[in-house]
Amino acid sequence: MSDNMRNNVRDNMGHMNNQLTQEMRDLARELLASGEVKGLFGWTKGSRWYLTPPVFITKPEEADRLCYDEFAVNNLTGLLLDFRDSQDKIAVFVKGCDSRGIVRLVQDNQLKRENIVVIGVPCPGMGDKGAVTDHRQAQELPLLAKCLECRYPNPVLADRTIGAVTVTTEPSAAPSGATAEAAKGRGVGSKEADRFAQVEAIEKMSPDERYAFWQAQNKKCIRCYACRNICPACNCRECIFDSDKKNWVNKAATPTDNAFFGITRAMHVAGRCVECGECERVCPMDIPIMAMNRKLIGDLNELFGPYDAGVKADEKPPLGAFKLDDPEEFM
Amino acid sequence: MSAVDEKKVNAAGQPDPNWEPNIVGFACNWCTYAGADLAGLSRMQYPPNVKLIRVPCSGRANPQFVLRAFQKGADGVLVAGCHPGDCHYATGNYFTRRRFLLFQRLLEFSGIDPRRFQARWISGAEAPKFRDVVTQMAEEVKALGPNRKLREEL
Ligand code: SF4
Ligand code: SF4
């Protein structure tokens, strides 16, 4: 790409983001002013050009705080858990990957579908802020790995939409709406076929190498639980890692206790993980958490038939169901 | 090396031929536990390596039980329950089957030999099967040697 073209792409992106941000603010203002919703989760511009963190607003005049750009990466759906005991109606913006989190929470009986106004947004693919080299100056960033591997660029459900995005439960559908071209140009979904590459690489190792690989990862984990906290599938009211009395696991962050945490976390979301990739993105220690999740997803598909969690609310997650003639290696 | 480990190697650092594996078995109250009881009543001989923990249903055994057993010193873990179709609670073991099939693969992915974690269907009448399963597993795990992986290092 020539510098000129790159500048054009950037300008177009900037223009588009402004437009989407405007649409977002207008809709938020309308929903809050009419009283249709009590509050709304969206994104706002952060303290750096590459930060667009979540924001919760309750008044129409706060709508101008909303912002949308290629750093609005946070999946907001897990935040809705704050309202699981409330009857208030809350609105939330969702990109394609995020939207599956809504299905997850509804299916897990954590939220009532009628209490949420889901607003679908088109996604240009999110920039990898890890690649920032100059903190003062905006620059072209590569996409996050999870966006390159994206299979659901469009929301799977929505009550309202902005940016003319198409709502569809079809995987691998081409990105739609105002950002469709940008998403395609930036490579959203282009590495979809590679999403099991790391799993396969680990499977090729010897058992001792695999153990050493995970031990090295577990040594790094500081058990901050960020991976759990962001996850829409990690929605237990009391997490076993928070219950002191039952002594499930030592509080010390030793590699063994961290292994217990990592394996347990993965099993708890097995069949329910919506592949939003947020756990791995938020991990401050760069632990390849998605390799665990994907291992389980791959095996579930192979053992019990293809299944994408968080797409169709009336399809039971594979570990919550069975067939009389399920495969059996035990005997 | 702790006192426990020293028992597993002799002075030359070679594996101790007298070492016996420590196997934890989660046994369903209605089938496998009864089967084990029958094996005892029938005076069947089997290795004493398996320490059974009675659970109401094999579906009650969850992956944390297995991980915790390894952490606390198990060299092998067995989950055993009623044959599919015979669950006291009608369908519990169908969930067990899916869960542990998946979990065994995840353990393997984490570097744990799948022979160290096994699941079996053993009915209340299958005392000989209980004997055979336990004997076979004890032999297999003995051949694998002591398990250090996932062990708590306190
Ligand atoms: S986010 Fe990373 S460091 Fe924190 S608990 Fe999860 S795996 Fe460990
Ligand atoms: S486990 Fe990770 S990828 Fe899966 S739903 Fe939770 S945060 Fe998203």
Side-chain angles (χ1 to χ4, degrees), chain A residues 10 13 17 43-46 48-54 67-75 95 124-132 138-142 144 186 281:
Chain A
R10 275 218 72 80
M13 281 263 298
N17 290 338
W43 302 274
T44 190
K45 201 57 212 164
R48 296 275 196 282
W49 59 268
Y50 51 84
L51 297 177
T52 309
C67 172
Y68 188 61
D69 60 15
E70 77 219 78
F71 303 109
V73 58
N74 279 262
N75 179 348
K95 308 182 291 296
M126 295 288 137
D128 182 359
K129 73 179 166 67
V132 168
Q139 53 207 263
E140 187 91 22
L141 295 176
L144 283 170
R186 285 154 56 83
R281 181 186 67 84

Side-chain angles (χ1 to χ4, degrees), chain A residues 116-286:
Chain A
I116 310 159
V117 175
V118 182
I119 310 165
V121 303
C123 177
M126 295 288 137
D128 182 359
K129 73 179 166 67
V132 168
T133 49
D134 187 334
H135 285 237
R136 294 149 302 177
Q137 206 177 350
Q139 53 207 263
E140 187 91 22
L141 295 176
L143 284 193
L144 283 170
K146 70 174 194 169
C147 300
L148 293 170
E149 294 165 356
C150 178
R151 293 170 63 239
Y152 286 87
N154 304 306
V156 299
L157 82 173
D159 302 308
R160 311 282 283 257
T161 57
I162 64 165
V165 70
T166 310
V167 178
T168 167
T169 53
E170 286 307 307
S172 297
S176 67
T179 59
E181 230 157 273
K184 260 184 85 194
R186 285 154 56 83
V188 168
S190 61
K191 296 213 171 132
E192 189 242 301
D194 294 348
R195 74 194 174 112
F196 291 108
Q198 192 177 17
V199 173
E200 282 156 17
I202 296 171
E203 282 173 343
K204 285 210 186 86
M205 300 176 185
S206 73
D208 285 344
E209 282 167 356
R210 279 198 294 272
Y211 187 71
F213 172 83
W214 287 112
Q215 270 300 89
Q217 303 303 329
N218 291 324
K219 260 196 193 111
K220 295 191 292 184
C221 175
I222 53 173
R223 293 254 295 284
C224 62
Y225 298 141
C227 52
R228 173 198 69 178
N229 293 356
I230 192 108
C231 174
C234 271
N235 54 37
C236 292
R237 275 174 196 266
E238 190 188 5
C239 174
I240 71 160
F241 295 100
D242 291 336
S243 65
D244 298 332
K245 294 214 182 88
K246 293 172 199 124
N247 231 338
W248 269 112
V249 67
N250 303 307
K251 291 289 167 194
T254 67
T256 340
D257 291 305
N258 297 346
F260 181 95
F261 168 68
I263 296 173
T264 303
R265 189 209 59 80
M267 268 310 280
H268 279 191
V269 299
R272 302 188 312 111
C273 163
V274 299
E275 281 192 272
C276 63
E278 283 289 87
C279 46
E280 183 168 305
R281 181 186 67 84
V282 299
C283 175
M285 307 314 287
D286 290 329

Side-chain angles (χ1 to χ4, degrees), chain A residues 207-208 210-211 214 247-248 250 256-257 264 268 299 302 318 321-324 326 328-331, chain B residues 64-65 67-68 71 91 94 97-98 100-101 105 108-111 119-121 149-153:
Chain A
D208 285 344
R210 279 198 294 272
Y211 187 71
W214 287 112
N247 231 338
W248 269 112
N250 303 307
T256 340
D257 291 305
T264 303
H268 279 191
D299 282 356
E302 187 188 310
F322 64 85
K323 287 203 190 103
L324 297 180
D326 274 335
E328 181 164 87
E329 291 163 11
F330 301 151
M331 271 299 301
Chain B
Q64 290 103 270
F65 289 11
L67 292 171
R68 203 67 176 139
Q71 274 195 310
T91 57
Y94 288 110
R97 181 161 70 179
R98 283 199 166 192
F100 285 118
L101 201 51
R105 290 175 172 220
E108 198 175 353
F109 189 66
S110 308
R120 289 285 185 279
W121 310 129
K149 290 174 179 169
L150 297 179
R151 182 73 58 88
E152 213 167 66
E153 322 115 7

